Amino acid sequence: MFAALGDPTRLALVAKLSRGGASSIVQLTEGTELSRQAVTKHLKILEQAGIVHSVRSGRESRYELDPAPLAEVKDYLDRVSAEWDQALMRLKAFVEE
Amino acid sequence: MFAALGDPTRLALVAKLSRGGASSIVQLTEGTELSRQAVTKHLKILEQAGIVHSVRSGRESRYELDPAPLAEVKDYLDRVSAEWDQALMRLKAFVEE
DNA sequence: AAAAACCGCAACCTTATGGTTGCATATTAT
DNA sequence: ATAATATGCAACCATAAGGTTGCGGTTTTT
């Protein structure tokens, strides 16, 4: 998940999809400096990570966002920062003891 | 940010720091299959991303978590999913029109 | 004073990653 | 029917990423 979003191009693709809704590969390639195939590869990676899925519609395949995994990431970060707070509390208690 | 957390080793380091609190490099290396230098490299990357910072204490340097950037990531994901919801709404309105 | 523990630096190696190019295939428009 | 559009597949390339090893320096410990 983090790895999938770790690439700037892929993060930009997610941002573009979040704004523009479902889009074809050529549409997603417009604006970037990359070739169509490069974008395709990134889309495959995002798809494998479950962040995005494609629907074939005639000669074009449209990709659209799948926001559920993003929520999972948020939950994970919530747990991590909660644990960190607890660790700080324990440290505080230990020092004051 | 995402790139920094995209590596499984680094994600594990963050998790360990969130539970155990500040730790030295050797402590963070224990449990992993990696060399001390490998862990050091990962810590440098996390430090550059602002996720972690080090404090030298005698002969050891202790690393501790910096949860603020994690909150930023959560905010970013919030914005992305909000935009996606709006895109869906617009699509719905367009179809029903 | 020696020995041990903890760390930093630098060179080096291997492989995944991001990217391009060329060609083939399936739809849509003229 | 033909041309144009949109994509898929595969080979190939360059570089960055992850990792190890060796060595030297500084605190602690004994």
Side-chain angles (χ1 to χ4, degrees):
Chain A
M1 260 285 350
F2 283 110
L5 294 178
D7 179 84
T9 300
R10 291 195 287 269
L11 201 56
L13 284 175
V14 169
K16 187 177 287 190
L17 283 177
S18 78
R19 282 190 299 270
S23 320
S24 73
I25 299 182
V26 270
Q27 287 175 334
L28 291 172
T29 304
E30 286 167 11
T32 74
E33 299 298 311
L34 301 176
S35 67
R36 176 180 56 87
Q37 281 80 356
V39 173
T40 301
K41 280 193 183 181
H42 286 297
L43 287 172
K44 294 279 183 193
I45 294 174
L46 287 173
E47 191 168 25
Q48 276 197 325
I51 303 173
V52 118
H53 69 273
S54 74
V55 179
R56 189 76 191 228
S57 150
R59 71 179 153 182
E60 68 184 10
S61 74
R62 328 198 60 188
Y63 281 82
E64 73 177 25
L65 202 59
D66 223 339
L70 306 183
E72 280 182 36
V73 169
K74 284 200 291 184
D75 287 346
Y76 177 79
L77 293 178
D78 269 335
R79 282 199 299 276
V80 165
S81 40
E83 280 170 348
W84 174 247
D85 286 344
Q86 288 177 19
L88 284 184
M89 298 273 284
R90 283 197 300 273
L91 177 63
K92 191 159 173 272
F94 174 75
V95 169
E96 288 174 349
E97 156 187 310
Chain B
M1 258 286 353
F2 283 111
L5 294 178
D7 180 84
T9 300
R10 290 195 289 268
L11 200 55
L13 284 175
V14 169
K16 187 177 287 190
L17 283 177
S18 77
R19 282 190 298 271
S23 319
S24 73
I25 298 182
V26 269
Q27 286 176 335
L28 291 171
T29 304
E30 287 168 11
T32 75
E33 300 297 313
L34 301 176
S35 67
R36 176 180 56 86
Q37 281 77 357
V39 173
T40 301
K41 281 192 182 180
H42 286 297
L43 287 172
K44 292 279 184 193
I45 294 174
L46 287 172
E47 191 168 25
Q48 275 197 325
I51 303 174
V52 117
H53 69 272
S54 73
V55 178
R56 190 77 191 229
S57 150
R59 71 178 155 184
E60 67 184 9
S61 74
R62 327 198 61 188
Y63 280 82
E64 74 178 23
L65 202 58
D66 224 339
L70 306 183
E72 280 182 36
V73 169
K74 284 200 291 184
D75 288 347
Y76 176 81
L77 293 177
D78 268 334
R79 282 198 299 277
V80 165
S81 38
E83 281 170 347
W84 174 245
D85 286 343
Q86 287 177 19
L88 283 184
M89 298 273 284
R90 284 197 299 274
L91 177 64
K92 191 159 173 272
F94 174 76
V95 169
E96 287 173 351
E97 152 186 313

